[in-house]
Amino acid sequence: NGQTLVSQRNPQIKAALAINPFTSGVFGDRGLASLAIPTAIVTGSDDPIAPAVPEQIGPFARLDRPDKWLVLLAGGTHFSTLGATGDETIQFPPWVVGPRPDLAQRYIKAFATAFLKRYLNDDRTVEPLLSAAWAAAVSQTELPLAIVREVDPITFPNRSDRSPNRPSPTTTKQP
C-alpha cells in the first residue's frame, strides 16, 4: 500500500512485553512483524478497547521469530491486569475489569518476571515458566490462562492483503 516502515530499532532494548497493545495503529499491518527481539504479547479475550484478534493475535501470528509468546487470558479485559496504585480516582465496575483481576495480575507478574529474567539476565532456569505446561498448571477456571507459541498467519491475513473481491473475516453477506 506504499507505506514506508521506519526503523525503530534501539540496540539497548533486549526484549518487548506488551499488555493489550494497540498494534494496528502503532505498527500497522506489517510493522510488528519486523521486531527483531524476543517478544511477548498479553491479550484478554473480552477486551472491547483493544480487541484480541485484530490487535494482538493477528499481529502475533505474523511475527516471524522463534522467541515469541502470546499470553491469553480467557475472559480478561483491557483492565484485568491493572493493579491498585492507591490513587484510584476512577473506580471501574466489575464487568469492565473482568473476573479475578487479582489472578490476572499474579499470572502476568510471574510470566513477566520469568520473561524479563530470561532475556535481560540470560537466565535459562526460568524457561519452564514460559511454557504452555506452566500456564495449564497454574490456570484457574475463573480466569483460564494459556501460553501459545504459534498461530497460523493464514487465519489472520493483513488488512492490506485483502483485495476488493476478498471479503474481510467480519464481512457478512446480506440477502
Side-chain angles (χ1 to χ4, degrees):
N1 65 7
Q3 282 183 323
T4 302
L5 295 177
V6 177
S7 174
Q8 301 296 320
R9 179 79 172 109
N10 180 334
Q12 295 176 322
I13 298 174
K14 304 295 183 203
L17 172 65
I19 300 175
N20 303 318
F22 291 98
T23 58
S24 63
V26 175
F27 292 102
D29 282 340
R30 299 184 190 274
L32 190 63
S34 68
L35 283 178
I37 57 175
T39 304
I41 299 173
V42 177
T43 187
S45 66
D46 292 359
D47 186 343
I49 295 170
V53 170
E55 298 296 340
Q56 295 99 34
I57 298 172
F60 172 84
R62 292 186 287 279
L63 273 173
D64 186 25
R65 45 181 316 98
D67 48 2
K68 65 179 185 174
W69 290 261
L70 182 65
V71 180
L72 303 159
L73 298 172
T77 74
H78 199 73
F79 303 102
S80 293
T81 59
L82 296 180
T85 63
D87 187 27
E88 285 73 35
T89 55
I90 299 174
Q91 294 294 320
F92 293 110
W95 64 269
V96 171
V97 177
R100 296 292 310 272
D102 61 316
L103 189 55
Q105 293 158 21
R106 284 199 311 260
Y107 289 159
I108 300 311
K109 183 178 180 181
F111 178 85
T113 300
F115 178 76
L116 294 173
K117 278 182 153 184
R118 169 63 186 93
Y119 289 102
L120 299 184
N121 298 343
D122 197 26
D123 181 351
R124 294 182 183 273
T125 65
V126 298
E127 286 181 351
L129 299 175
L130 303 175
S131 69
W134 172 79
V138 300
S139 183
Q140 302 293 310
T141 56
E142 306 96 325
L143 186 68
L145 173 69
I147 295 177
V148 177
R149 300 297 305 273
E150 285 295 325
V151 174
D152 183 1
I154 294 170
T155 306
F156 303 100
N158 294 333
R159 287 185 305 271
S160 59
D161 289 346
R162 294 190 191 113
S163 69
N165 297 326
R166 183 175 166 198
S168 76
T170 58
T171 302
T172 57
K173 292 186 178 183
Q174 304 246 337

